[in-house]
Amino acid sequence: MDGEFLEEVSQGLVYETLRTYNRLPFAAWKHYERWNRSLSFFGLTAPITFERYMKILSEGIEKLEGEVRMKVYFSLKSHKVLVVFQPLPRANVEEGVSVKFARYRRIPDLSTPPFLKITGRTDIVLARRDIKDCYDVLIIGASGQLCEGSFSNVFLVKDGVLITPSLESGILDGITRENVIELAKSLDITVEERIVQAWEVFTADEVFLTHTSMGVVPVRKVENRILFEEEAGPITKTLMENFEPFALNRKENWVGAL
Ligand code: PDD
């Protein structure tokens, strides 16, 4: 392996994952701000302006066909920016996915802030090793609270109420999560952001995950518990159906893109 490359990687890469809808980078400003927040833990700010960031993204998108996934990396070693463009991976998740619990807990906030999106976070690296035959694994916090997946946020539905771990639970403030919360409110679904105990996934009526590439992903199975056989529960289905039109119509998701 190239020594210089190894040096770059071993010092850590601060990153963001974006996707396009209709070939435009979705929520690019929110991703840019979140990238900047990760950099601020190192006393740094983004080395490129938002305008330049958008230009780099649109030039890369043009070189591919269809919808695109972009990973924007910042090297803490060289301060170089590297953007990887790939066709957006497609997965058939509508029939529901399986999740399990990660063996290792979330690193306490005082040691590594959950908002820090950097390669090599041991809680995430170890959790991803446990994914194997499931879609994602759920990470539990030091006090037994439910946090998030290794690349997704998690929601429960109980008695018609939409419940999701609050930011104080020690999670990344997912951009899809925020859009889903706002969507649910617009549909008059009651939303509770609070500390959720990990065992609550076993008594929930519905469970789903959210993340950039796939939006709302229904969970069919948690460990050995099957939540549904054929179709996701009604609130999950409503949110799945309405997510795209809602997110596409929200002006703040398109700052600088139109
Ligand atoms: N993952 N939680 C963690 C730990 C994540 O890494 C991510 C994003 C999310 C969901 O956030 P958003 O809705 O903004 O994608 C939650 C990206 C997709 C990744 O790791 O590539």
Side-chain angles (χ1 to χ4, degrees):
M1 202 186 285
D2 177 65
E4 213 174 301
F5 174 71
L6 205 58
E7 277 288 299
E8 297 270 346
V9 173
S10 64
Q11 300 269 327
L13 304 168
V14 172
Y15 76 102
E16 277 294 324
T17 306
L18 296 85
R19 68 160 287 176
T20 58
Y21 281 100
N22 303 323
R23 308 225 348 114
L24 292 171
F26 175 65
W29 172 249
K30 292 181 190 179
H31 281 284
Y32 180 78
E33 284 214 302
R34 204 166 68 175
W35 193 48
N36 250 311
R37 189 183 56 197
S38 288
L39 289 168
S40 73
F41 291 111
F42 302 93
L44 299 167
T45 52
I48 50 174
T49 62
F50 180 59
E51 286 67 32
R52 176 97 187 98
Y53 178 88
M54 289 303 279
K55 193 152 189 294
I56 293 170
L57 295 183
S58 60
E59 285 171 5
I61 292 165
E62 265 171 42
K63 295 199 181 103
L64 292 177
E65 281 176 15
E67 301 297 357
V68 179
R69 180 164 81 177
M70 298 142 279
K71 293 204 177 211
V72 182
Y73 295 98
F74 172 90
S75 160
L76 287 168
K77 164 86 179 154
S78 64
H79 291 196
K80 279 185 200 149
V81 176
L82 178 79
V83 189
V84 178
F85 296 89
Q86 300 170 297
L88 182 71
R90 300 276 181 189
N92 196 5
V93 294
E94 283 185 14
E95 289 133 40
V97 300
S98 301
V99 297
K100 289 187 178 154
F101 285 106
R103 263 180 294 172
Y104 298 98
R105 297 220 173 177
R106 161 110 303 165
I107 302 173
D109 296 19
L110 285 173
S111 304
T112 303
F115 284 176
L116 179 55
K117 218 163 153 35
I118 185 171
T119 57
R121 283 184 66 109
T122 48
D123 51 358
I124 302 278
V125 173
L126 289 166
R128 288 186 182 166
R129 302 282 299 181
D130 277 345
I131 292 180
K132 297 186 182 115
D133 55 350
C134 56
Y135 186 80
D136 200 0
V137 295
L138 301 177
I139 302 173
I140 301 175
S143 318
Q145 83 278 18
L146 182 64
C147 295
E148 61 185 346
S150 76
F151 59 83
S152 61
N153 290 109
V154 59
F155 286 77
L156 317 181
V157 176
K158 180 74 180 163
D159 299 329
V161 176
L162 185 63
I163 303 162
T164 195
S166 52
L167 299 184
E168 312 79 72
S169 309
I171 61 165
L172 181 75
D173 50 346
I175 291 166
T176 321
R177 172 187 180 277
E178 185 255 336
N179 274 281
V180 166
I181 291 172
E182 291 311 312
L183 165 62
K185 289 180 181 165
S186 78
L187 297 171
D188 286 331
I189 298 169
T190 308
V191 183
E192 278 182 15
E193 287 182 73
R194 61 167 170 84
I195 300 291
V196 179
Q197 296 305 322
W199 56 260
E200 292 184 57
V201 296
F202 292 110
T203 57
D205 302 323
E206 301 175 35
V207 178
F208 64 85
L209 307 175
T210 61
H211 66 106
T212 291
S213 327
M214 298 304 303
V216 177
V217 179
V219 172
R220 203 181 73 81
K221 194 171 168 209
V222 180
E223 295 281 349
N224 286 326
R225 179 177 179 228
I226 307 233
L227 284 131
F228 65 87
E229 289 290 352
E230 309 248 302
E231 280 192 359
I235 294 196
T236 306
K237 264 175 69 181
T238 303
L239 295 170
M240 283 165 73
E241 284 161 14
N242 287 285
F243 176 74
E244 233 179 271
F246 178 80
L248 297 188
N249 276 317
R250 241 179 127 201
K251 280 209 179 65
E252 58 184 276
N253 290 326
W254 302 103
V255 174
L258 297 172

